[in-house]
Amino acid sequence: MPSDEGHTESGRTSSAARASGTPGPGPVAHAAGPGPGPSGGGAAADLARARTQLLDGGAKGSRRLDAPALRHALVDLHEFWLTTKANELGIKPDCGFALVAVGGLGRRELLPYSDLDLVLLHDDMDVAVVSELADRLWYPLWDAHIKLDHSVRSIAQALQVAASDVPASLGMLEARHIAGDVELTNLLISGVQRQWRTDIRYRFDDLIEQTEARWARSGEIAHRAEPDLKSGRGGLRDIQLLGALSIAQLTDSAPGLGPDTPGGGLAFAHRRLLDVRTELHRVAGRARDQLRAQDADEIGAALRIGDRFDLARTLSDSARTVSYSVEVGIRTAANAIPRRGLARLRRAPVRRPLDEGVVEHAGEVVLARDARPKKDPALVTRVAAVSAQTSLPISASTLGRLADNAPELREPWPKDALDELLVLLGSGHRAVSVVEALDRTGLWGRLLPEWGAIRDLPPRDAVHTWTVDRHLVETAAYASAFTTRVSRPDLLVLGALLHDIGKGRGGDHSVVGAELATHIGRRMGLWPSDVDVLAAMVRHHLLLPETATRRDLDDPATVQRVVDAVGGDSTLLELLHALAEADSLATGPGVWGDWKSTLIGELVRRCRMVMAGEPLPEPALVADEHRELAERGGVHVTLVPADSPHTWRVTMIAPDGPGLLSREAGVLAMHGLRVLSASLAAYAGSAVDTFVVSPRFGTPPQAGLLRQELVRANGGDLDVAAALDARESEVRESEVRESRAVQVGEDRVDAVPVLYATAPPRVLWWETDAPDEVILELRAEDRVGLLSRLASALESVGADIRWARVTTRGASVVDAFCLDLGSGDSRATREQVENAVLAVVPRPAPAKQADTAD
C-alpha cells in the first residue's frame, strides 16, 4: 500500500515517530521477544534464504516451480514467518494489535521480488508500546534485506488516510488479516469498504482521472513493444480497479465477458498477466514491471508459450480482454452512480429508437424489447453499424444476448447484413472500438471465422504499430476516408479489412489471403465479379508500393507489368491506389509521405494512360408492366418485395415535369424509407422511376399511401423540403457525430449533433456522344433525403435530369445523373452545378473541429 511512512532496507526511521496513537484507557499487554539487531534478524535471514531457495528451484533434485506454484509458495512462506514472528512478539487474539497484509501479499499474488506491504493496526495503544513492537517486527526484515513497505495505524488513522488518498484506499480494499486481533482487521476492512461505497460518488471522477493519467504514462500493453504489465492499459492495475468498482457495488468483477469469449475470459487473462510478471521477476533477478524485449524469449519458454512472438500474442489477447472489461466496468459504474443535486430531479433515461430492433438507453445501444435475435440474422451487424454511426457504445448485456442467441449467418449472407457491415466499416475510426467489443465477446469471429488466425498476431516488422488484426481494422478506418475517390467504396473497405487476412498461416500471405478473400466474398453474398475484384485486391495489395519504390517508372515494361497484373481493370487500379495509402497510414508514423505518394501516383497515372478509358453509366430499361401504366397516364405507385429481406422495390410513375424526382424521393424519405438504389427513366411522357428501399423501422407503408402523398406533393399541398428537414432533425437527435459530452456521475449532456462526413465528397464529369448531354457522377456519404435534396439542387440551377442511376453502398452513395445543361454548358455552368450539389451533401469537419477522439 503506498504510504508516506513506508521505506525499504535503504533507510530506517524510528517507529515511535511513525506511531501517533493516543494511549488507551486500559492496560496494554507488553510485547515480549528479542529486540532489534542480530538476534532478532536470524529468523528473517532464514526467510531470505528460503526465498532464494524457492527462486533457485528448491532443494537439489527438486523440480523448478512454475509461476502459480511459486506465488503460492511465496505467500505461504511469508505468512508462516509473519504469523510465527507475530506470535513470538505477543501479537495474538485480543491483544489490541493486528498485522494486516495489503498489496501482493494481501491479494495472495506475491511475486518473487515484490515488497512486503504490511500495516500494524493497534487499538489506540500507548505510543511507546506501539513503537517498541513495531521495531521488533520491522527491524529483522530490514536486517535480512527484505523490502518492506509498512505503516502503523489505529483504525481511525487508517480510515482517515483511506478517505483522503485514493491509492491508499485502493490498497486497503485488498487488506487481509495475517495475525493478532482479527476483530481489528475486520473493523478496518468493513470500515474501508463502507467508506468506499459511501464516498464513491464524490471520488469517482478523481479515480478515473488518475487511471487515465496512468494509461497516458504507461501506454497500451497490447500494442507496445516493451509493455508495462502492472500499470499499462489492460494490466494488473486495471484488474484491481475492477475489483474496487465491484466492492463499490457499481459493476461486476468481470463485466461484459462470458466463459466462451476468445482467450478464456478475464480470469484467464488475469492469471496470464500474473504468470508473465512472475517470470519477469525471476529472469530479471529483481522487481520489474516492464517486459524487456531481450527477456521475452526466455519468459515465453519458461511459461511454455513459445518464442517472443507467441508471448506478445498472448499478452495482447490478455491485455485487450482486460482493457475491454475495464471500459465496460467504468461505463457501467458511471451510469450506476447516484445522481447529485438537481440531476436527481431529471427523468430516468428513455428508450429512443435508432434502427429496426435497436434503441438507445442511458447512453448505450441496446436491443428493443421486441427484438428477436434468433430470427434476425442481420441484427449483429445492424447493432454494430448503429453504434459506429452514433458513437454510442454497445451495452454489455446486449453483446451478451447477441452472443447467446444470434444465429450463424448462412451462405450467402442476407443483403442487409452485408449492407450494415459496410456502414460499420465506412464509419471511420468510430468503428475501431465497435469491432473490438464484438471481437472480445466472440461475435466478430462468428462473422469472420478466418479472423482467429490473425487475432492478436504480433507484427514481424518493427515499423508496424499494431497487431495484425488491429492493423486491418485501422486500414479499413483510413480507407473509409477515401471512399469517394473510387467507384466501388464497398469493395475498398472490404479489401482494406481483408488485405492481410492470409498472415499467420504460412506461405505468401497475399496468395493465401486471396484464396480466403474468395471464400469470404462468396459467403457474404458478393456478386461473382465482385468476388474476383476483392480477391485481386488482396492478392495485389503490395503491387503498387513495391513497384513504385523498387522499379524504374520510366521503363515501359514496369508500367505494362502493373497493367497486366490488374488485367487492365481501371476500377481495380483505383482501388489498389486507395488501399496502398490506407495500408501505409495504418502501418505506423512515417510510412506514408510525399515521396511514396508521388511515386505511386505517377505509376497509377501512367497505367491509366496505357488503359485509356473507363465505362460510362447507362440508363435503365423500362419494364413492360410499367410501360402499360405510363400509357394510361396519371400517378401510379407499385410496391413489391425486392431480392433480399427487409428491402422493397417501389416504382413511381407520374407525368414528367420539373421537381418530380425531388418530390418522389422526398416522399420516400419522409416515411423512413432509405433509398438503396434507383433507376430513373421516361416513357410516353411519364417518368418511370424505380427505387429499391429499406425501411428504417418495421415494414413500409402501403403503396396507396405513398401515391396519395405524391399526389399531394405534386399539387403543392405538401412541403417536402420542410418535412425532410423535420425528419432529419428527428433522426439526428440520437446521432451525436461530434463532441458528445459525458459528465461522470451525472446525467449525460447531449451536444447538438453536426452532420459531418468521414470522406470528402467528389464530383466527376463524363462526356457523352450526345451534344446536349453530360453525366455528373457524385461520390459522397449518405444522409436523410439525399436524393431528394440532390434533385432539388440540380433543378434549382436549371439542370434537367434526363435519367439517373443511384446506388447506396453502406454509408456511401455513387449517383450518376445524365443532365441537359442546354446551350449554356460551360465551365462556369458546371462549376455552378457542382457547387449546388456539394451544398447538400455531408462534408468533412473543419480541421479545428475534427473529432480527435478517433
Side-chain angles (χ1 to χ4, degrees), residues 26 37 43 106 178 196 219 232 243 249 294 335 368 511 523 553 624 652 686 744-745 752 759 765 792:
I178 298 294
W196 179 252
Q249 300 177 345
Q294 60 264 37
N335 288 333
V511 176
R523 188 169 69 242
L553 300 188
D624 292 340
M652 293 181 164
S686 292
V744 177
V752 176
W765 293 93
S792 178

Side-chain angles (χ1 to χ4, degrees), residues 1 154-173 186-204 207 244 247-250:
M1 179 186 68
S154 67
I155 298 294
Q157 291 169 345
L159 293 177
Q160 184 179 8
V161 170
S164 60
D165 187 340
V166 170
S169 185
L170 293 175
M172 280 189 267
L173 287 173
N186 290 339
L187 284 173
L188 173 67
I189 294 174
S190 62
V192 170
Q193 291 184 353
R194 182 172 58 253
Q195 184 174 265
W196 179 252
R197 294 189 190 104
T198 301
D199 296 344
I200 188 63
R201 71 178 69 183
Y202 309 107
R203 310 180 72 179
F204 187 72
L207 175 65
I247 290 173
Q249 300 177 345
L250 297 178

Side-chain angles (χ1 to χ4, degrees), residues 93 438 505 508 790:
L438 295 177
R505 293 175 169 84
D508 186 336
L790 287 173

